[in-house]
Amino acid sequence: ETEYQAALFINCADGRRIAVANTTFRTRPIVKEGFCAIPTNLRILPLSTSSVELRWNPNEGNARCYIIMAGPLDIPSQNWQRYIVPHPNYKLVLQNLTPQRRYGFAIATNCTECEASTGVRTPYSPIVIFMTANNTREVAEVKQKSCEFLNFSLWPNPNKGNFEIAVEGSISGKLVLKVIDLQGKVLWQEQKVVETSYFVQQVELDELLPGMYIFEIHADGHTRRLKFIRE
């Protein structure tokens, strides 16, 4: 974020120096590598035969907005619709879709602005492909299946002992969080009482020695585990 001045001169054979052009410019803000990254855990939640909800794990730090491109697979992705979702929101509803048609979506992070074509941006994620339901029964079956399980993610992975976890699902009551070593010993545990469909927590465990560990989460009778590496 520093302003500079640039000038162009011509040095002539007779010793003269002629100014041709002069301009000023400002460098962009520093964006820490990995701190403003492509969102992870992209997924879809069917809402009806003609609508779905796109979801992802939001970034922290320098993220300003998320840029989503989505459209039918029989149309080139460069022609797909672009959507802007301000950080820290993590979902977008697509409507007026055609039943039983294949679609795709990808997402990028704009680290400095809420624009699709300007600012410091990450590349787009790989395209996530999905098909809209053919009837309401299909939608109900997918919803029931998704409600039975918790969506759980941990990032960054590997990490230095400081990371963030996100839990998505019908969370009601006590949430038990644990860090366990590969021998099953509980190294850290915390309980939360929540009533939400999306829960995020920062975990700081600088004292962990380098190696592989298990993060366990228990809620509403369901248990989920993820391995992570402490560098």
Side-chain angles (χ1 to χ4, degrees):
E1 287 188 288
T2 303
E3 189 169 279
Y4 293 87
Q5 186 176 42
L8 176 64
F9 296 90
I10 296 177
N11 289 324
C12 303
D14 57 7
R16 289 180 303 154
R17 192 183 190 193
I18 302 174
V20 177
N22 190 299
T23 187
T24 59
F25 63 92
R26 178 177 289 274
T27 51
R28 288 174 170 172
I30 293 175
V31 179
K32 296 180 181 179
E33 184 178 356
F35 201 52
C36 179
I38 302 172
T40 58
N41 197 18
L42 278 62
R43 55 209 184 274
I44 69 116
L45 176 66
L47 300 178
S48 70
T49 57
S50 60
S51 64
V52 298
E53 186 172 273
L54 312 181
R55 297 190 179 189
W56 57 89
N57 288 347
N59 284 309
E60 296 299 333
N62 291 329
R64 291 289 302 277
C65 281
Y66 303 108
I67 308 161
I68 298 94
M69 63 174 186
L73 290 186
D74 52 3
I75 295 176
S77 59
Q78 60 265 29
N79 296 330
W80 287 357
Q81 182 72 38
R82 263 57 171 183
Y83 305 87
I84 303 295
V85 178
H87 174 79
N89 296 301
Y90 61 92
K91 56 187 177 181
L92 170 71
V93 175
L94 296 183
Q95 298 179 324
N96 301 318
L97 305 179
T98 303
Q100 206 171 19
R101 189 177 186 184
R102 286 165 60 85
Y103 289 84
F105 85 95
I107 185 169
T109 304
N110 193 322
C111 310
T112 58
E113 298 181 29
C114 274
E115 295 290 340
S117 57
T118 61
V120 179
R121 297 189 307 156
T122 68
Y124 278 99
S125 68
I127 293 175
V128 175
I129 298 173
F130 64 94
M131 178 179 287
T132 49
N134 187 38
N135 53 58
T136 54
R137 181 178 178 180
E138 284 185 24
V139 176
E141 288 176 352
V142 173
K143 282 186 177 180
Q144 176 62 30
K145 185 176 181 180
S146 65
C147 289
E148 292 174 355
F149 299 94
L150 293 172
N151 289 317
F152 168 41
S153 59
L154 180 154
W155 71 92
N157 187 15
N159 56 67
K160 300 291 186 181
N162 297 319
F163 53 89
E164 194 167 81
I165 62 106
V167 186
E168 185 176 359
S170 299
I171 309 169
S172 177
K174 186 169 64 175
L175 198 66
V176 181
L177 312 174
K178 297 179 182 179
V179 172
I180 307 169
D181 64 20
L182 297 184
Q183 287 70 47
K185 181 181 179 181
V186 177
L187 305 177
W188 174 86
Q189 179 172 325
E190 191 169 298
Q191 295 186 6
K192 297 286 184 180
V193 177
V194 296
E195 294 287 341
T196 182
S197 60
Y198 190 77
F199 173 78
V200 177
Q201 172 155 326
Q202 185 74 31
V203 180
E204 298 182 359
L205 298 174
D206 295 318
E207 67 277 10
L208 282 182
L209 297 176
M212 181 174 289
Y213 297 89
I214 299 170
F215 197 100
E216 179 181 285
I217 184 166
H218 183 85
D220 293 337
H222 300 290
T223 300
R224 287 289 177 269
R225 297 179 180 90
L226 279 179
K227 290 182 179 181
F228 70 94
I229 296 174
R230 162 64 159 98
E231 293 181 322

